[in-house]
Amino acid sequence: MSGTARELARSPVADAPIHRRAFRSVDEFVVEAFKAARRIGRGDGAELAASLRAAGLRCGASLLAAAAAGPRASAGLAGTLRDGRAALLEARYALYVARRLGMLDLRSYRGLADRQDAALRDLEGLIRASASDDPG
């Protein structure tokens, strides 16, 4: 993780191993998705690439917002994390369409899908942990 990513990941909640793992896997996916968006964005893929970038940024921003909320933000925390999960799934569809249109080769698609699956698993773990902390 870069120095900037380490700085962004620092917060009371970010000290929890599950949050660090989720941030790291989401960050790795988003960086790779941005690299893929450069390839996808050529020709007719500009809108698709923009959608992929936006979804990745929304997911990362949701994760950081949840971290900044603190360890006992309860219901709002779980909702924010679910928004991040929805953004990751939106990015998955953008990748799928790019693959179907021949803008992304199979190897790149599978690599991105694997990174995204890891990010989704870690985010799901964080959602479950935040839901179990929810007193309501």
Side-chain angles (χ1 to χ4, degrees):
M1 188 171 7
S2 71
T4 303
R6 266 192 298 279
E7 290 169 18
L8 286 172
R10 286 188 189 135
S11 79
V13 175
D15 290 335
I18 191 169
H19 185 86
R20 283 195 307 268
R21 188 172 54 249
F23 180 84
R24 188 173 16 259
S25 61
V26 167
D27 185 58
E28 288 172 1
F29 168 73
V30 171
V31 168
E32 291 304 314
F34 262 71
K35 290 176 185 177
R38 275 190 226 131
R39 295 188 302 272
I40 294 167
R42 297 182 184 129
D44 292 336
E47 189 174 331
L48 193 56
S51 177
L52 179 59
R53 287 183 188 106
L57 289 175
R58 276 197 315 278
C59 180
S62 294
L63 194 55
L64 289 175
R72 298 285 177 220
S74 66
L77 177 61
T80 299
L81 293 170
R82 282 192 292 275
D83 290 345
R85 178 183 54 201
L88 265 182
L89 294 172
E90 182 182 328
R92 179 61 150 253
Y93 187 68
L95 290 172
Y96 167 78
V97 171
R99 171 69 190 124
R100 295 267 298 150
L101 294 174
M103 297 174 182
L104 194 61
D105 64 84
L106 183 59
R107 182 178 176 184
S108 296
Y109 175 78
R110 285 183 176 160
L112 282 160
D114 287 346
R115 283 189 187 272
Q116 188 180 40
D117 287 343
L120 281 166
R121 274 191 308 274
D122 292 341
L123 198 49
E124 284 292 336
L126 198 52
I127 290 168
R128 280 191 304 277
S130 68
S132 68
D133 287 341
D134 186 357

mmCIF file of all heavy atoms in Angstrom, residues 50-95:
data_model
loop_
_atom_site.group_PDB
_atom_site.id
_atom_site.type_symbol
_atom_site.label_atom_id
_atom_site.label_comp_id
_atom_site.label_asym_id
_atom_site.label_seq_id
_atom_site.Cartn_x
_atom_site.Cartn_y
_atom_site.Cartn_z
ATOM 1 N N ALA A 50 -15.575 5.682 -17.852
ATOM 2 C CA ALA A 50 -15.960 6.677 -16.841
ATOM 3 C C ALA A 50 -16.847 6.046 -15.774
ATOM 4 O O ALA A 50 -16.695 6.345 -14.578
ATOM 5 C CB ALA A 50 -16.674 7.854 -17.511
ATOM 6 N N SER A 51 -17.743 5.169 -16.179
ATOM 7 C CA SER A 51 -18.614 4.475 -15.226
ATOM 8 C C SER A 51 -17.794 3.587 -14.291
ATOM 9 O O SER A 51 -18.039 3.546 -13.081
ATOM 10 C CB SER A 51 -19.642 3.644 -15.990
ATOM 11 O OG SER A 51 -20.441 2.914 -15.096
ATOM 12 N N LEU A 52 -16.828 2.881 -14.840
ATOM 13 C CA LEU A 52 -15.955 2.025 -14.038
ATOM 14 C C LEU A 52 -15.176 2.848 -13.017
ATOM 15 O O LEU A 52 -15.100 2.489 -11.839
ATOM 16 C CB LEU A 52 -15.005 1.257 -14.955
ATOM 17 C CG LEU A 52 -13.995 0.337 -14.299
ATOM 18 C CD1 LEU A 52 -14.682 -0.728 -13.454
ATOM 19 C CD2 LEU A 52 -13.112 -0.306 -15.363
ATOM 20 N N ARG A 53 -14.613 3.954 -13.465
ATOM 21 C CA ARG A 53 -13.858 4.824 -12.542
ATOM 22 C C ARG A 53 -14.764 5.366 -11.437
ATOM 23 O O ARG A 53 -14.397 5.350 -10.258
ATOM 24 C CB ARG A 53 -13.242 5.989 -13.320
ATOM 25 C CG ARG A 53 -12.086 5.628 -14.173
ATOM 26 C CD ARG A 53 -11.518 6.886 -14.847
ATOM 27 N NE ARG A 53 -10.518 6.555 -15.810
ATOM 28 C CZ ARG A 53 -10.711 6.611 -17.143
ATOM 29 N NH1 ARG A 53 -11.870 7.009 -17.639
ATOM 30 N NH2 ARG A 53 -9.741 6.273 -17.954
ATOM 31 N N ALA A 54 -15.938 5.850 -11.821
ATOM 32 C CA ALA A 54 -16.855 6.436 -10.839
ATOM 33 C C ALA A 54 -17.287 5.407 -9.800
ATOM 34 O O ALA A 54 -17.329 5.708 -8.600
ATOM 35 C CB ALA A 54 -18.070 7.034 -11.550
ATOM 36 N N ALA A 55 -17.596 4.200 -10.248
ATOM 37 C CA ALA A 55 -18.024 3.152 -9.310
ATOM 38 C C ALA A 55 -16.896 2.801 -8.347
ATOM 39 O O ALA A 55 -17.125 2.644 -7.143
ATOM 40 C CB ALA A 55 -18.490 1.912 -10.075
ATOM 41 N N GLY A 56 -15.677 2.685 -8.861
ATOM 42 C CA GLY A 56 -14.532 2.393 -7.999
ATOM 43 C C GLY A 56 -14.310 3.479 -6.962
ATOM 44 O O GLY A 56 -14.071 3.193 -5.776
ATOM 45 N N LEU A 57 -14.405 4.716 -7.392
ATOM 46 C CA LEU A 57 -14.222 5.827 -6.453
ATOM 47 C C LEU A 57 -15.328 5.872 -5.408
ATOM 48 O O LEU A 57 -15.068 6.146 -4.234
ATOM 49 C CB LEU A 57 -14.147 7.151 -7.212
ATOM 50 C CG LEU A 57 -12.879 7.360 -8.027
ATOM 51 C CD1 LEU A 57 -12.971 8.657 -8.831
ATOM 52 C CD2 LEU A 57 -11.651 7.366 -7.134
ATOM 53 N N ARG A 58 -16.567 5.592 -5.810
ATOM 54 C CA ARG A 58 -17.677 5.568 -4.834
ATOM 55 C C ARG A 58 -17.457 4.492 -3.785
ATOM 56 O O ARG A 58 -17.718 4.698 -2.606
ATOM 57 C CB ARG A 58 -19.016 5.359 -5.541
ATOM 58 C CG ARG A 58 -19.623 6.628 -6.082
ATOM 59 C CD ARG A 58 -21.096 6.495 -6.418
ATOM 60 N NE ARG A 58 -21.453 5.294 -7.131
ATOM 61 C CZ ARG A 58 -21.332 5.122 -8.453
ATOM 62 N NH1 ARG A 58 -20.841 6.089 -9.198
ATOM 63 N NH2 ARG A 58 -21.707 3.984 -9.010
ATOM 64 N N CYS A 59 -16.971 3.339 -4.215
ATOM 65 C CA CYS A 59 -16.723 2.260 -3.256
ATOM 66 C C CYS A 59 -15.643 2.669 -2.258
ATOM 67 O O CYS A 59 -15.814 2.529 -1.050
ATOM 68 C CB CYS A 59 -16.323 0.978 -3.979
ATOM 69 S SG CYS A 59 -16.001 -0.354 -2.814
ATOM 70 N N GLY A 60 -14.522 3.164 -2.777
ATOM 71 C CA GLY A 60 -13.441 3.591 -1.887
ATOM 72 C C GLY A 60 -13.884 4.701 -0.946
ATOM 73 O O GLY A 60 -13.565 4.687 0.249
ATOM 74 N N ALA A 61 -14.643 5.645 -1.475
ATOM 75 C CA ALA A 61 -15.129 6.752 -0.643
ATOM 76 C C ALA A 61 -16.075 6.247 0.443
ATOM 77 O O ALA A 61 -16.039 6.732 1.584
ATOM 78 C CB ALA A 61 -15.823 7.796 -1.517
ATOM 79 N N SER A 62 -16.908 5.265 0.128
ATOM 80 C CA SER A 62 -17.819 4.693 1.131
ATOM 81 C C SER A 62 -17.039 4.031 2.254
ATOM 82 O O SER A 62 -17.374 4.167 3.431
ATOM 83 C CB SER A 62 -18.745 3.662 0.487
ATOM 84 O OG SER A 62 -19.608 4.282 -0.412
ATOM 85 N N LEU A 63 -15.993 3.325 1.880
ATOM 86 C CA LEU A 63 -15.167 2.650 2.874
ATOM 87 C C LEU A 63 -14.465 3.661 3.778
ATOM 88 O O LEU A 63 -14.425 3.492 5.000
ATOM 89 C CB LEU A 63 -14.149 1.754 2.167
ATOM 90 C CG LEU A 63 -13.414 0.728 2.987
ATOM 91 C CD1 LEU A 63 -14.365 -0.178 3.737
ATOM 92 C CD2 LEU A 63 -12.512 -0.098 2.091
ATOM 93 N N LEU A 64 -13.943 4.732 3.200
ATOM 94 C CA LEU A 64 -13.286 5.765 4.003
ATOM 95 C C LEU A 64 -14.285 6.508 4.879
ATOM 96 O O LEU A 64 -13.993 6.831 6.031
ATOM 97 C CB LEU A 64 -12.532 6.739 3.110
ATOM 98 C CG LEU A 64 -11.284 6.159 2.458
ATOM 99 C CD1 LEU A 64 -10.676 7.162 1.491
ATOM 100 C CD2 LEU A 64 -10.263 5.745 3.499
ATOM 101 N N ALA A 65 -15.471 6.759 4.349
ATOM 102 C CA ALA A 65 -16.504 7.432 5.151
ATOM 103 C C ALA A 65 -16.891 6.572 6.347
ATOM 104 O O ALA A 65 -17.066 7.075 7.460
ATOM 105 C CB ALA A 65 -17.723 7.735 4.288
ATOM 106 N N ALA A 66 -16.996 5.272 6.126
ATOM 107 C CA ALA A 66 -17.329 4.371 7.232
ATOM 108 C C ALA A 66 -16.223 4.370 8.273
ATOM 109 O O ALA A 66 -16.489 4.368 9.475
ATOM 110 C CB ALA A 66 -17.566 2.957 6.704
ATOM 111 N N ALA A 67 -14.974 4.403 7.818
ATOM 112 C CA ALA A 67 -13.852 4.422 8.747
ATOM 113 C C ALA A 67 -13.842 5.715 9.556
ATOM 114 O O ALA A 67 -13.601 5.704 10.762
ATOM 115 C CB ALA A 67 -12.532 4.263 7.995
ATOM 116 N N ALA A 68 -14.134 6.818 8.899
ATOM 117 C CA ALA A 68 -14.120 8.117 9.583
ATOM 118 C C ALA A 68 -15.255 8.233 10.593
ATOM 119 O O ALA A 68 -15.164 9.006 11.542
ATOM 120 C CB ALA A 68 -14.219 9.239 8.556
ATOM 121 N N ALA A 69 -16.316 7.445 10.402
ATOM 122 C CA ALA A 69 -17.469 7.520 11.307
ATOM 123 C C ALA A 69 -17.164 6.961 12.690
ATOM 124 O O ALA A 69 -17.882 7.232 13.635
ATOM 125 C CB ALA A 69 -18.653 6.771 10.699
ATOM 126 N N GLY A 70 -16.116 6.185 12.813
ATOM 127 C CA GLY A 70 -15.754 5.622 14.103
ATOM 128 C C GLY A 70 -16.334 4.241 14.303
ATOM 129 O O GLY A 70 -17.217 3.816 13.567
ATOM 130 N N PRO A 71 -15.857 3.545 15.308
ATOM 131 C CA PRO A 71 -16.228 2.143 15.492
ATOM 132 C C PRO A 71 -17.668 1.914 15.925
ATOM 133 O O PRO A 71 -18.180 0.825 15.792
ATOM 134 C CB PRO A 71 -15.265 1.657 16.569
ATOM 135 C CG PRO A 71 -14.835 2.876 17.288
ATOM 136 C CD PRO A 71 -14.880 4.001 16.280
ATOM 137 N N ARG A 72 -18.356 2.904 16.413
ATOM 138 C CA ARG A 72 -19.714 2.695 16.926
ATOM 139 C C ARG A 72 -20.750 3.507 16.151
ATOM 140 O O ARG A 72 -21.725 3.969 16.715
ATOM 141 C CB ARG A 72 -19.779 3.064 18.410
ATOM 142 C CG ARG A 72 -18.882 2.196 19.255
ATOM 143 C CD ARG A 72 -19.512 0.837 19.420
ATOM 144 N NE ARG A 72 -18.603 -0.002 20.175
ATOM 145 C CZ ARG A 72 -18.375 -1.262 19.919
ATOM 146 N NH1 ARG A 72 -18.975 -1.862 18.932
ATOM 147 N NH2 ARG A 72 -17.545 -1.967 20.652
ATOM 148 N N ALA A 73 -20.553 3.668 14.840
ATOM 149 C CA ALA A 73 -21.498 4.439 14.038
ATOM 150 C C ALA A 73 -22.728 3.625 13.677
ATOM 151 O O ALA A 73 -23.655 4.140 13.099
ATOM 152 C CB ALA A 73 -20.810 4.959 12.783
ATOM 153 N N SER A 74 -22.746 2.366 14.011
ATOM 154 C CA SER A 74 -23.851 1.403 13.873
ATOM 155 C C SER A 74 -24.566 1.438 12.536
ATOM 156 O O SER A 74 -23.979 1.182 11.512
ATOM 157 C CB SER A 74 -24.808 1.514 15.050
ATOM 158 O OG SER A 74 -25.462 2.750 15.075
ATOM 159 N N ALA A 75 -25.846 1.756 12.527
ATOM 160 C CA ALA A 75 -26.689 1.608 11.336
ATOM 161 C C ALA A 75 -26.144 2.382 10.146
ATOM 162 O O ALA A 75 -26.148 1.886 9.036
ATOM 163 C CB ALA A 75 -28.107 2.049 11.659
ATOM 164 N N GLY A 76 -25.696 3.581 10.371
ATOM 165 C CA GLY A 76 -25.144 4.384 9.278
ATOM 166 C C GLY A 76 -23.915 3.743 8.671
ATOM 167 O O GLY A 76 -23.710 3.792 7.460
ATOM 168 N N LEU A 77 -23.115 3.112 9.501
ATOM 169 C CA LEU A 77 -21.900 2.453 9.027
ATOM 170 C C LEU A 77 -22.241 1.305 8.096
ATOM 171 O O LEU A 77 -21.709 1.200 7.001
ATOM 172 C CB LEU A 77 -21.083 1.943 10.219
ATOM 173 C CG LEU A 77 -19.818 1.156 9.917
ATOM 174 C CD1 LEU A 77 -18.838 2.001 9.142
ATOM 175 C CD2 LEU A 77 -19.188 0.672 11.207
ATOM 176 N N ALA A 78 -23.154 0.459 8.492
ATOM 177 C CA ALA A 78 -23.529 -0.676 7.653
ATOM 178 C C ALA A 78 -24.129 -0.197 6.333
ATOM 179 O O ALA A 78 -23.832 -0.748 5.271
ATOM 180 C CB ALA A 78 -24.502 -1.590 8.396
ATOM 181 N N GLY A 79 -24.942 0.841 6.385
ATOM 182 C CA GLY A 79 -25.546 1.378 5.161
ATOM 183 C C GLY A 79 -24.507 1.956 4.218
ATOM 184 O O GLY A 79 -24.573 1.758 3.001
ATOM 185 N N THR A 80 -23.544 2.662 4.771
ATOM 186 C CA THR A 80 -22.463 3.227 3.961
ATOM 187 C C THR A 80 -21.661 2.124 3.303
ATOM 188 O O THR A 80 -21.311 2.204 2.121
ATOM 189 C CB THR A 80 -21.551 4.110 4.844
ATOM 190 O OG1 THR A 80 -22.330 5.180 5.381
ATOM 191 C CG2 THR A 80 -20.399 4.692 4.055
ATOM 192 N N LEU A 81 -21.376 1.068 4.052
ATOM 193 C CA LEU A 81 -20.625 -0.058 3.494
ATOM 194 C C LEU A 81 -21.431 -0.801 2.426
ATOM 195 O O LEU A 81 -20.868 -1.238 1.419
ATOM 196 C CB LEU A 81 -20.205 -1.010 4.612
ATOM 197 C CG LEU A 81 -19.179 -0.430 5.595
ATOM 198 C CD1 LEU A 81 -19.009 -1.353 6.791
ATOM 199 C CD2 LEU A 81 -17.862 -0.162 4.901
ATOM 200 N N ARG A 82 -22.729 -0.899 2.616
ATOM 201 C CA ARG A 82 -23.578 -1.526 1.580
ATOM 202 C C ARG A 82 -23.576 -0.689 0.303
ATOM 203 O O ARG A 82 -23.612 -1.230 -0.805
ATOM 204 C CB ARG A 82 -24.993 -1.754 2.102
ATOM 205 C CG ARG A 82 -25.083 -2.972 3.010
ATOM 206 C CD ARG A 82 -26.516 -3.371 3.305
ATOM 207 N NE ARG A 82 -27.218 -2.398 4.130
ATOM 208 C CZ ARG A 82 -27.172 -2.374 5.465
ATOM 209 N NH1 ARG A 82 -26.480 -3.273 6.128
ATOM 210 N NH2 ARG A 82 -27.834 -1.457 6.134
ATOM 211 N N ASP A 83 -23.518 0.631 0.450
ATOM 212 C CA ASP A 83 -23.402 1.500 -0.730
ATOM 213 C C ASP A 83 -22.091 1.210 -1.473
ATOM 214 O O ASP A 83 -22.060 1.181 -2.706
ATOM 215 C CB ASP A 83 -23.432 2.976 -0.331
ATOM 216 C CG ASP A 83 -24.792 3.437 0.163
ATOM 217 O OD1 ASP A 83 -25.799 2.723 -0.062
ATOM 218 O OD2 ASP A 83 -24.838 4.515 0.785
ATOM 219 N N GLY A 84 -21.032 0.987 -0.718
ATOM 220 C CA GLY A 84 -19.746 0.630 -1.330
ATOM 221 C C GLY A 84 -19.824 -0.689 -2.063
ATOM 222 O O GLY A 84 -19.279 -0.838 -3.168
ATOM 223 N N ARG A 85 -20.501 -1.654 -1.461
ATOM 224 C CA ARG A 85 -20.678 -2.958 -2.109
ATOM 225 C C ARG A 85 -21.456 -2.791 -3.410
ATOM 226 O O ARG A 85 -21.109 -3.380 -4.440
ATOM 227 C CB ARG A 85 -21.388 -3.925 -1.179
ATOM 228 C CG ARG A 85 -21.638 -5.288 -1.848
ATOM 229 C CD ARG A 85 -22.395 -6.235 -0.976
ATOM 230 N NE ARG A 85 -23.635 -5.626 -0.518
ATOM 231 C CZ ARG A 85 -24.313 -6.014 0.536
ATOM 232 N NH1 ARG A 85 -23.890 -7.003 1.281
ATOM 233 N NH2 ARG A 85 -25.435 -5.413 0.871
ATOM 234 N N ALA A 86 -22.515 -1.983 -3.390
ATOM 235 C CA ALA A 86 -23.306 -1.753 -4.606
ATOM 236 C C ALA A 86 -22.442 -1.124 -5.703
ATOM 237 O O ALA A 86 -22.557 -1.499 -6.877
ATOM 238 C CB ALA A 86 -24.508 -0.870 -4.290
ATOM 239 N N ALA A 87 -21.565 -0.209 -5.325
ATOM 240 C CA ALA A 87 -20.679 0.409 -6.313
ATOM 241 C C ALA A 87 -19.713 -0.620 -6.896
ATOM 242 O O ALA A 87 -19.431 -0.610 -8.098
ATOM 243 C CB ALA A 87 -19.910 1.568 -5.672
ATOM 244 N N LEU A 88 -19.215 -1.531 -6.061
ATOM 245 C CA LEU A 88 -18.335 -2.586 -6.570
ATOM 246 C C LEU A 88 -19.066 -3.471 -7.568
ATOM 247 O O LEU A 88 -18.497 -3.876 -8.594
ATOM 248 C CB LEU A 88 -17.818 -3.460 -5.418
ATOM 249 C CG LEU A 88 -16.471 -3.119 -4.821
ATOM 250 C CD1 LEU A 88 -16.107 -4.123 -3.740
ATOM 251 C CD2 LEU A 88 -15.382 -3.018 -5.841
ATOM 252 N N LEU A 89 -20.310 -3.783 -7.295
ATOM 253 C CA LEU A 89 -21.089 -4.613 -8.206
ATOM 254 C C LEU A 89 -21.378 -3.878 -9.516
ATOM 255 O O LEU A 89 -21.389 -4.478 -10.595
ATOM 256 C CB LEU A 89 -22.373 -5.083 -7.539
ATOM 257 C CG LEU A 89 -22.141 -6.042 -6.359
ATOM 258 C CD1 LEU A 89 -23.441 -6.321 -5.631
ATOM 259 C CD2 LEU A 89 -21.476 -7.321 -6.813
ATOM 260 N N GLU A 90 -21.580 -2.570 -9.430
ATOM 261 C CA GLU A 90 -21.751 -1.763 -10.640
ATOM 262 C C GLU A 90 -20.478 -1.813 -11.488
ATOM 263 O O GLU A 90 -20.535 -1.951 -12.708
ATOM 264 C CB GLU A 90 -22.073 -0.326 -10.256
ATOM 265 C CG GLU A 90 -22.315 0.590 -11.431
ATOM 266 C CD GLU A 90 -22.577 2.025 -11.001
ATOM 267 O OE1 GLU A 90 -23.154 2.244 -9.923
ATOM 268 O OE2 GLU A 90 -22.189 2.926 -11.761
ATOM 269 N N ALA A 91 -19.335 -1.737 -10.823
ATOM 270 C CA ALA A 91 -18.059 -1.819 -11.536
ATOM 271 C C ALA A 91 -17.917 -3.178 -12.212
ATOM 272 O O ALA A 91 -17.394 -3.283 -13.327
ATOM 273 C CB ALA A 91 -16.898 -1.571 -10.579
ATOM 274 N N ARG A 92 -18.405 -4.222 -11.560
ATOM 275 C CA ARG A 92 -18.319 -5.565 -12.138
ATOM 276 C C ARG A 92 -19.080 -5.632 -13.453
ATOM 277 O O ARG A 92 -18.630 -6.227 -14.417
ATOM 278 C CB ARG A 92 -18.868 -6.590 -11.147
ATOM 279 C CG ARG A 92 -18.863 -8.013 -11.630
ATOM 280 C CD ARG A 92 -17.419 -8.491 -11.932
ATOM 281 N NE ARG A 92 -17.298 -9.893 -11.715
ATOM 282 C CZ ARG A 92 -16.661 -10.461 -10.693
ATOM 283 N NH1 ARG A 92 -16.066 -9.732 -9.788
ATOM 284 N NH2 ARG A 92 -16.588 -11.747 -10.587
ATOM 285 N N TYR A 93 -20.245 -5.007 -13.481
ATOM 286 C CA TYR A 93 -21.017 -5.034 -14.714
ATOM 287 C C TYR A 93 -20.304 -4.245 -15.816
ATOM 288 O O TYR A 93 -20.291 -4.673 -16.981
ATOM 289 C CB TYR A 93 -22.442 -4.510 -14.497
ATOM 290 C CG TYR A 93 -23.284 -4.706 -15.736
ATOM 291 C CD1 TYR A 93 -23.642 -5.996 -16.148
ATOM 292 C CD2 TYR A 93 -23.675 -3.632 -16.511
ATOM 293 C CE1 TYR A 93 -24.383 -6.194 -17.305
ATOM 294 C CE2 TYR A 93 -24.419 -3.829 -17.664
ATOM 295 C CZ TYR A 93 -24.764 -5.101 -18.057
ATOM 296 O OH TYR A 93 -25.485 -5.300 -19.211
ATOM 297 N N ALA A 94 -19.704 -3.122 -15.464
ATOM 298 C CA ALA A 94 -18.947 -2.356 -16.461
ATOM 299 C C ALA A 94 -17.812 -3.200 -17.031
ATOM 300 O O ALA A 94 -17.568 -3.186 -18.245
ATOM 301 C CB ALA A 94 -18.407 -1.066 -15.840
ATOM 302 N N LEU A 95 -17.135 -3.949 -16.180
ATOM 303 C CA LEU A 95 -16.069 -4.838 -16.652
ATOM 304 C C LEU A 95 -16.628 -5.929 -17.562
ATOM 305 O O LEU A 95 -16.026 -6.267 -18.593
ATOM 306 C CB LEU A 95 -15.334 -5.468 -15.464
ATOM 307 C CG LEU A 95 -14.474 -4.523 -14.646
ATOM 308 C CD1 LEU A 95 -13.972 -5.230 -13.388
ATOM 309 C CD2 LEU A 95 -13.309 -4.002 -15.479
#
